[in-house]
Amino acid sequence: MPFWKKMLNQKQAVYYPRAIVQGKPVETETIAKDLAKISTVSNSDVQAVLGDIAGVMHTRMSQGKSVHIKGLGYFRYVLDTTGVKDLKDFDFEKQVKAVRVEFVPERSRLSSGAYTRALVDSEQLEWIELSATTEDQDPSKGGEGGLDENPLG
């Protein structure tokens, strides 16, 4: 069950719900064990494949392709950029601030005509409210127990 808490946007002076991460991330080894339990593939084989997936995805995306993992979704490179008013000032190297990976969950159409998305099918999620003082334990945000930079880009 995912968690949320009420947050105040100081600039707009409005409250909004924010998803909160609790505990340590689930690591590759745990995902591999879970996958091995529901398949005919061994834990070590799953870990070997998962260990190589980032490099293979990078190679394909660096060729200008998006990567589709069936049942999961699509990955592609996107750019964070700044614009210039005059075309003569256009400089790709100076205008690109960051290269990020965009993930779009796989979606499928239901018989009702509505869509459901992999990983975020909201009808199957039971959200639990945490107090406003609860700290986000997402290591991608930096800080205590976190990383210096956001690995999620």
Side-chain angles (χ1 to χ4, degrees):
M1 63 194 80
F3 301 96
W4 69 277
K5 70 177 182 179
K6 295 173 186 158
M7 294 290 294
L8 174 63
N9 178 316
Q10 303 261 347
K11 289 183 180 180
Q12 297 176 348
V14 295
Y15 287 92
Y16 60 95
R18 178 173 145 203
I20 299 297
V21 173
Q22 292 289 282
K24 294 180 180 180
V26 176
E27 297 292 340
T28 305
E29 295 79 12
T30 303
I31 296 293
K33 287 177 186 174
D34 291 349
L35 288 169
K37 286 178 189 174
I38 62 170
S39 71
T40 60
V41 182
S42 73
N43 177 36
S44 58
D45 288 341
V46 174
Q47 284 194 47
V49 171
L50 290 176
D52 291 337
I53 197 168
V56 171
M57 290 175 65
H58 167 72
T59 297
R60 294 300 184 162
M61 290 189 306
S62 68
Q63 296 169 345
K65 304 284 187 183
S66 65
V67 172
H68 174 220
I69 298 180
K70 189 175 183 176
L72 185 61
Y74 297 83
F75 298 81
R76 71 181 185 125
Y77 287 135
V78 294
L79 302 174
D80 284 347
T81 61
T82 57
V84 293
K85 291 184 179 185
D86 194 334
L87 189 56
K88 69 179 179 160
D89 296 328
F90 191 94
D91 183 332
F92 180 84
E93 297 295 326
K94 289 181 180 176
Q95 290 176 248
V96 173
K97 301 302 176 194
V99 178
R100 303 199 186 280
V101 175
E102 177 183 65
F103 168 68
V104 178
E106 178 98 10
R107 71 180 194 161
S108 56
R109 191 173 191 155
L110 303 173
S111 58
S112 66
Y115 285 94
T116 183
R117 293 179 292 153
L119 307 178
V120 292
D121 186 357
S122 60
E123 290 182 19
Q124 295 181 7
L125 296 176
E126 179 185 338
W127 288 87
I128 306 297
E129 182 179 4
L130 299 176
S131 76
T133 59
T134 303
E135 292 289 323
D136 191 340
Q137 297 174 6
D138 185 350
S140 69
K141 303 294 186 207
E144 185 177 319
L147 305 172
D148 291 335
E149 66 180 68
N150 183 347
L152 302 177

